[in-house]
Amino acid sequence: MTCHLLIPAAGSGKRMGADCNKLLLPLLGKPILQWTLEAAIASEAIAWIGVMGQPHDYPEFQKIFNEISQLKPIRLIQGGATRQASVFNGLKALPIDCDHVLIHDGARCLVTPELFDRCDVALQKMQGFIAAVPVKDTIKVVDGLTIVDTPNRDHLWAAQTPQGFQLDVIKNAHLTALELGWEVTDDAALLEKVGLAVQIVMGEETNLKVTTPQDLAIAEFILNQRN
Ligand SMILES: Nc1ccn([C@@H]2O[C@H](COP(=O)(O)OP(=O)(O)OP(=O)(O)O)[C@@H](O)[C@H]2O)c(=O)n1
Ligand SMILES: C[C@](O)(CO)[C@H](O)COP(=O)(O)O
């Protein structure tokens, strides 16, 4: 157990349309964030967990931490205005002995401990990687309502988290992004923009991100299948 994990959990869940952070919404009786944390705690690889949140959510987050096993240290870190800013805050708060990091969205609450463990193995070998799955749909590139391209699906993968990085590499990429005003939706994109290779680790079809009310219903269905 050596791996450090950062969990961005400081969003507001606009697309969910709830009146609170969507990670506090119940999924089969437990907050979404609790499912994510329980998978991280069950992973053999993860030794330390940092959760980025907004201060107004701290009391609810603390209740969740109290509900789950305290076998691993969980540190609360102040989130930022965007996912990117929240991750950057997390990177700056990592313990001094950390040289590699996994980053996993709190909203991907169906992640399995086995996926975390597979990612930890990748972390030992790669400077940067993401969990991803091959795209099943035929994807169209559209301008207005007109199709301009149908990319070859063999080259299309859907990005997930965990994403894992050598710490100095991802920190430098975030610093460059700050200097140059880059805004991206995942951490791998920053490495891509500075011209560094990012590998793929096979993700999980069920590792969906709970973004809309429909996702919540699908997540409930998948969890019921697991029980
Ligand atoms: N300022 C932010 C925004 C997002 N996140 C986190 O990043 C993950 C992925 O973001 P997303 O699913 O987009 O969450 P929200 O920003 O909450 O949702 P929305 O975009 O619909 O508002 C989530 O776990 C979310 O809590 C974060 O830590 N800090
Ligand atoms: C990081 C991510 O979960 C990868 O799929 C995703 O990019 C988060 O943000 P999004 O804006 O919901 O795509």
Side-chain angles (χ1 to χ4, degrees):
M1 265 206 320
T2 54
C3 185
H4 293 80
L5 172 70
L6 290 173
I7 299 183
S12 57
K14 274 192 231 91
R15 289 171 285 179
M16 181 60 74
D19 56 4
C20 64
N21 182 347
K22 68 184 174 191
L23 300 188
L24 298 172
L25 294 177
L27 172 58
L28 294 184
K30 286 193 275 195
I32 289 176
L33 181 61
Q34 184 167 338
W35 288 97
T36 311
L37 282 166
E38 285 179 351
I41 284 167
S43 146
E44 284 176 12
I46 291 164
W48 182 99
I49 302 169
V51 179
M52 287 79 86
Q54 301 294 351
H56 59 81
D57 285 333
Y58 285 0
E60 291 302 316
F61 280 19
Q62 199 55 60
K63 275 191 214 161
I64 295 172
F65 301 167
N66 294 342
E67 278 296 311
I68 56 183
S69 142
Q70 294 291 317
L71 292 176
K72 297 179 183 179
I74 305 179
R75 161 125 192 246
L76 248 181
I77 300 160
Q78 183 156 346
T82 60
R83 181 189 183 279
Q84 187 175 327
S86 294
V87 171
F88 189 49
N89 286 357
L91 294 172
K92 289 184 288 185
L94 284 165
I96 194 94
D97 62 333
C98 169
D99 52 17
H100 289 80
V101 63
L102 284 185
I103 301 164
H104 180 71
D105 288 343
R108 288 191 187 270
C109 57
L110 301 185
V111 63
T112 63
E114 293 73 27
L115 179 56
F116 280 127
D117 292 343
R118 276 213 309 285
C119 287
D120 178 56
V121 174
L123 207 51
Q124 315 306 320
K125 298 188 253 181
M126 300 170 185
Q127 71 174 356
F129 71 85
I130 71 168
V133 289
V135 164
K136 289 179 295 188
D137 294 327
T138 294
I139 304 287
K140 302 290 183 186
V141 180
V142 172
D143 182 8
L145 285 179
T146 304
I147 294 169
V148 291
D149 195 15
T150 304
N152 180 347
R153 194 168 55 196
D154 293 347
H155 301 295
L156 295 177
W157 288 65
Q160 300 185 342
T161 61
Q163 304 198 349
F165 307 95
Q166 212 175 295
L167 183 56
D168 55 349
V169 169
I170 188 67
K171 244 180 161 171
N172 284 336
H174 270 266
L175 279 169
T176 306
L178 206 60
E179 270 165 35
L180 301 181
W182 296 339
E183 286 180 19
V184 293
T185 53
D186 76 345
D187 300 287
L190 295 179
L191 260 69
E192 294 160 43
K193 279 172 93 67
V194 295
L196 295 174
V198 184
Q199 313 288 314
I200 292 287
V201 165
M202 186 57 76
E204 293 171 339
E205 279 295 333
T206 54
N207 180 23
L208 60 83
K209 185 160 74 62
V210 176
T211 306
T212 62
Q214 288 76 12
D215 295 327
L216 199 53
I218 296 167
E220 188 170 320
F221 175 80
I222 294 169
L223 285 173
N224 274 324
Q225 298 287 106
R226 284 183 188 171
N227 291 333

